[in-house]
Amino acid sequence: MKIRNLFVMGMLTLAAETVMAQECNFFFANEEGKVLIRTGYKPDGTLSSTLTYRVDHVYDYPSGTEVDAHFSYNKANGELINSGQMVARCNDGNFSMSMNHIMSFPDAMTMKNAEIYVMGDLMSYPDRFSDENDPGDMDDFSNGTVRIYDKKNKDNRAEISVTDREFVSNEDVKTPAGIFHTTKVKYRMEIWTPKSTIEGYGYEWYAPNTGIVRTEEYNDKDQLQSYSVLTSIK
């Protein structure tokens, strides 16, 4: 009986250690009903768009946590460009989320019809806070692709590829929604449409329990094309 109890206790200890090992920083809002608004601007500071997320559901599993959120992307005048669902997920210690925010890049949304279909990857957002002097293995910065189709005209489409993601630094970022300790990541971007291909690069700053708090996008001539900042958390 004692041997069996010791065995059970050992298994419970192992399970607890496994759960602890699976814990990870959640780089998105993880409270139901929470609303985040990120505002986009042109290089001169003129308002261009708003991207709003609302957390609908939070699910806890033995391997981690998953959040389902609704997003809407609007022009400066309030006109809806697109809306839909996104997912943020911690699984076995690794965090990833949908790439819907990439569509806020000015040249990405060439289609004005809100009736579009979006298909894309989950992109990883590694934890770079445990040891700021050792960013770890860069291979866990995954690439991603988003494909956008007009539901009424499949010839009206775009493909957005994000590649060469790399850790830059950990730094504090001041926004209208507060000051956040973030990880800054650089990436390459290619936007393909049947008419043209646009290449450039950008930066993202993301924070625990919040997500992306700032972005900047540049063309291949190092000219700022747009930027966005987190303006509200409700």
Side-chain angles (χ1 to χ4, degrees), residues 105-110 158-163 187-201 217-221 223 225:
F105 190 84
D107 293 314
M109 288 303 296
T110 57
E159 183 171 297
I160 309 165
S161 298
V162 176
T163 60
Y187 61 89
R188 294 286 306 174
M189 176 181 283
E190 180 179 285
I191 304 168
W192 176 89
T193 69
K195 296 181 179 180
S196 65
T197 298
I198 301 169
E199 295 183 344
Y201 64 94
E217 296 85 21
Y218 297 81
N219 62 19
D220 273 348
K221 297 180 180 180
Q223 298 169 325
Q225 299 298 289

Side-chain angles (χ1 to χ4, degrees), residues 18-19 21-27 59-67 87-97 122-125:
T18 302
V19 170
Q22 292 171 345
E23 289 181 356
C24 64
N25 263 326
F26 204 89
F27 295 109
Y59 305 98
D60 290 317
Y61 302 104
S63 60
T65 300
E66 181 173 304
V67 163
V87 174
R89 179 182 299 155
C90 261
N91 187 49
D92 292 331
N94 300 308
F95 180 82
S96 59
M97 67 178 174
L122 289 179
M123 186 177 290
S124 65
Y125 284 82

Side-chain angles (χ1 to χ4, degrees), residues 74-194:
N74 297 74
K75 293 181 182 180
N77 63 5
E79 179 186 346
L80 179 68
I81 298 177
N82 189 34
S83 64
Q85 296 295 126
M86 63 86 64
V87 174
R89 179 182 299 155
C90 261
N91 187 49
D92 292 331
N94 300 308
F95 180 82
S96 59
M97 67 178 174
S98 305
M99 293 177 58
N100 306 88
H101 62 280
I102 293 296
M103 295 186 300
S104 62
F105 190 84
D107 293 314
M109 288 303 296
T110 57
M111 293 174 285
K112 304 304 180 184
N113 188 341
E115 293 298 315
I116 64 174
Y117 174 72
V118 180
M119 179 176 64
D121 302 327
L122 289 179
M123 186 177 290
S124 65
Y125 284 82
D127 184 355
R128 288 291 176 261
F129 297 111
S130 56
D131 185 352
E132 298 191 6
N133 296 317
D134 181 13
D137 188 356
M138 293 295 101
D139 291 340
D140 54 7
F141 279 94
S142 64
N143 299 326
T145 301
V146 170
R147 297 173 181 86
I148 307 172
Y149 301 89
D150 187 328
K151 291 181 179 179
K152 298 179 180 178
N153 178 11
K154 290 187 177 180
D155 290 331
N156 187 20
R157 63 191 189 276
E159 183 171 297
I160 309 165
S161 298
V162 176
T163 60
D164 299 332
R165 298 172 71 220
E166 59 178 324
F167 172 81
V168 178
S169 63
N170 288 338
E171 57 189 55
D172 291 336
V173 174
K174 185 177 181 180
T175 77
I179 299 175
F180 300 90
H181 188 50
T182 70
T183 288
K184 180 181 180 181
V185 171
K186 184 179 181 180
Y187 61 89
R188 294 286 306 174
M189 176 181 283
E190 180 179 285
I191 304 168
W192 176 89
T193 69

